[in-house]
Amino acid sequence: MTGRRLLYGANVHANGIRQHYLRYGGTGTPLILVPGITSPAVTWGFVAERLGERFDVHVLDVRGRGLSEAGPELDYGLDAMADDVAAFAATLGLRDYVLLGHSMGARVAVRMRRRHADAALGRILLVDPPVSGPGRRPYPAQLGWYIDSMRLARQGADWQAMRPFLPGWSEEQLRLRAEWLHTCSEEAVTATYHGFHDDDIHVDVPYLDVPTLLVVAGKAGVILPEDEAELRTLLPSLRVERVEGAGHMIPWDDFGGFFAAIDPFLDAAQPGRHDHR
């Protein structure tokens, strides 16, 4: 786990648990990256390296994933994960930070802002969040997809065993997933998956009172045009960028397209830059 911008991995006690994170760059505006349902922090390293060129990046291992605290006694609900992020930022003294969440992490970011309106948050970047919830269209992925791949990883499966689950990924990407997927708690992932259908983040969206960008994966089917329209109604200031050729794991599918979508929004987060759009 080496990289030009990777500074170190560390732990912090926040919101009553041990939270592990990786820090990249170390200068510029702070940025907290919250990954998705089965993505330990290390799997976002290639994105954090690029972000670390301009930002002080902190990639979290969400509770029950990677090297953060786990166990059957933990609360794996959305509120707990949202409180983790707020406590993490406060404990490290981060201010005017960018909160970037992917998938589950984006839902965490939305809930965090409603629960912690006093957090020193500068802007929010939501990457293809599931918009499922009570009475809504279900999340397109099946729970068994996650459970089966995690159980294989816990048995010591190699990268080739990951290929049927993610046929478009490179060998390097699959090797990293095979190496780290076993660190994802089945209890945590199951709770999160059910939360995709039991928690309504739409009620939280109007509370996003800082500049907010939604990035939609054009080929994922997670956010449909009607979903985008509803979110715009709930938050008229919402900005939307689409990466048309990418699936849900946008940076894996189209790295350049991902950064083309987010760079203008992130530029405005830098000291001395102003967002006039």
Side-chain angles (χ1 to χ4, degrees):
M1 189 177 64
T2 60
R4 187 167 55 90
R5 298 286 174 179
L6 175 62
L7 299 177
Y8 54 78
N11 297 285
V12 63
H13 188 81
N15 196 32
I17 67 166
R18 177 181 50 76
Q19 299 190 46
H20 176 262
Y21 66 99
L22 299 175
R23 189 177 183 192
Y24 293 77
T27 60
T29 300
L31 185 151
I32 300 174
L33 196 162
V34 186
I37 186 171
T38 55
S39 295
V42 67
T43 63
W44 277 80
F46 72 111
V47 176
E49 287 284 346
R50 168 71 156 71
L51 291 168
E53 295 173 4
R54 296 184 297 153
F55 292 89
D56 184 10
V57 181
H58 301 71
V59 190
L60 294 186
D61 272 329
V62 179
R63 59 170 60 202
R65 286 94 172 166
L67 301 181
S68 283
E69 191 165 334
E73 74 285 353
L74 282 191
D75 179 358
Y76 292 114
L78 184 59
D79 288 352
M81 293 188 289
D83 294 349
D84 284 347
V85 174
F88 175 84
T91 300
L92 292 186
L94 304 180
R95 300 193 59 80
D96 298 322
Y97 56 91
V98 177
L99 181 55
L100 189 167
H102 171 252
S103 192
M104 173 194 77
R107 289 172 64 91
V108 170
V110 172
R111 179 60 55 87
M112 180 271 205
R113 188 54 179 172
R114 182 176 184 182
R115 288 176 64 85
H116 299 276
D118 58 343
L121 180 59
R123 56 187 50 219
I124 297 175
L125 207 168
L126 307 173
V127 182
D128 219 38
V131 290
S132 46
R136 295 181 177 272
R137 185 182 75 256
Y139 184 56
Q142 298 298 312
L143 179 59
W145 185 93
Y146 298 104
I147 299 300
D148 292 348
S149 59
M150 287 191 297
R151 289 179 178 175
L152 283 173
R154 284 199 300 274
Q155 294 166 7
D158 64 11
W159 69 273
Q160 292 171 319
M162 298 291 110
R163 173 73 71 192
F165 297 92
L166 297 157
W169 283 25
S170 69
E171 178 180 337
E172 180 181 7
Q173 293 166 343
L174 292 171
R175 283 189 180 278
L176 194 61
R177 185 164 180 82
E179 179 185 0
W180 282 91
L181 188 58
H182 76 92
T183 68
C184 295
S185 156
E186 191 167 313
E187 292 91 350
V189 171
T190 300
T192 293
Y193 185 85
H194 289 315
F196 285 171
H197 302 90
D198 297 337
D199 295 312
D200 185 4
I201 63 165
H202 292 77
V203 299
D204 304 327
V205 169
Y207 293 86
L208 301 179
D209 58 351
V210 298
T212 302
L213 172 67
L214 172 69
V215 180
V216 177
K219 293 175 62 176
V222 173
I223 299 177
L224 301 179
E226 55 266 34
D227 302 317
E228 180 183 322
E230 181 181 7
L231 293 171
R232 287 181 183 272
T233 300
L234 292 169
L235 188 68
S237 64
L238 181 69
R239 303 171 193 186
V240 180
E241 295 286 347
R242 296 182 66 86
V243 185
E244 293 294 352
H248 186 54
M249 306 297 286
I250 299 177
W252 281 254
D253 288 353
D254 187 352
F255 186 80
F258 176 68
F259 277 98
I262 70 173
D263 274 344
F265 181 76
L266 290 178
D267 283 345
Q270 300 286 25
R273 300 295 295 269
H274 300 282
D275 195 346
H276 298 294
R277 291 189 303 160

